Amino acid sequence: MGKTTTAKALQKLVRQPFLHVQGDAFLDMIAPQMWGDPEGIIFRQFDEVGVPSIEIRMGSTVDSLMEGMRASVAALARAGNNCIVDDVMLSPKDQQSYLEACTGIRLEFVALHAPLAILEQRERERGDRLIGLSRWQYARVHQGIIYNFEIETLAHNTDDIARTIASALDIPIADS
């Protein structure tokens, strides 16, 4: 179970309404010419121990977009919305950006973990991902990030993951 599947399951489970804010939806906003541009986003493919890996390089345009996303999350929360943010933080700087944007707002960071083989299998099965992206992200995505809660997704089904997160973060579950 990935971030999006878990977010949708959590939305269905909890009593209060939650918005699902997807980082990919913000990336879809950038102009087509910014894909492959140093100021936008570049994906560089290389072999890592004989297996494809794809490095992400984000330029100032994408950095500004992601800052705007974090400010948008803060604005949504300040307007009274509960948010589940579906994002990949590639450095502690990303987490710090959320903390600064969301000053005074309850903010909980949840890590979903899965073995690399499972992430690569999902990547192939989805058909809309660059093969090798999960390999490059795997060693980087959780480094230096401080989480309120972490869960290994392989050992649980989606509903159990959502229920465990809700319980860990003290979010009331809807009456069945």
Side-chain angles (χ1 to χ4, degrees), residues 10-153:
L10 192 55
Q11 277 183 305
K12 290 179 185 176
L13 176 71
V14 298
R15 184 178 307 146
Q16 303 160 318
F18 274 78
L19 301 176
H20 177 201
V21 182
Q22 294 180 284
D24 286 350
F26 279 78
L27 288 174
D28 286 343
M29 293 179 192
I30 66 173
Q33 64 268 27
M34 297 311 295
W35 292 92
D37 186 287
E39 295 302 312
I41 188 165
I42 293 177
F43 297 100
R44 184 182 71 83
Q45 186 171 11
F46 63 98
D47 277 354
E48 187 173 316
V49 204
V51 181
S53 186
I54 297 184
E55 174 187 22
I56 304 170
R57 292 185 188 164
M58 291 184 253
S60 61
T61 299
V62 174
D63 287 342
S64 295
L65 171 66
M66 299 315 289
E67 285 295 320
M69 178 184 137
R70 294 167 192 135
S72 297
V73 168
L76 288 166
R78 285 192 178 94
N81 297 287
N82 297 307
C83 299
I84 300 168
V85 181
D86 177 347
D87 191 10
V88 175
M89 294 186 295
L90 294 173
S91 77
K93 181 183 84 163
D94 295 339
Q95 184 175 40
Q96 186 60 39
S97 177
Y98 274 112
L99 291 167
E100 289 170 7
C102 297
T103 300
I105 297 169
R106 178 182 173 192
L107 188 62
E108 307 278 355
F109 292 95
V110 176
L112 302 180
H113 297 282
L116 178 58
I118 297 298
L119 297 172
E120 290 179 322
Q121 177 185 342
R122 288 181 195 158
E123 190 174 64
R124 286 188 302 274
E125 290 172 355
R126 285 184 61 165
D128 66 347
R129 296 287 185 228
L130 296 170
I131 303 302
L133 194 55
S134 60
R135 175 166 290 276
W136 183 80
Q137 288 178 342
Y138 190 77
R140 292 162 180 81
V141 75
H142 297 295
Q143 297 303 310
I145 308 292
I146 299 168
Y147 293 101
N148 299 90
F149 183 71
E150 301 185 49
I151 187 167
E152 172 59 55
T153 61

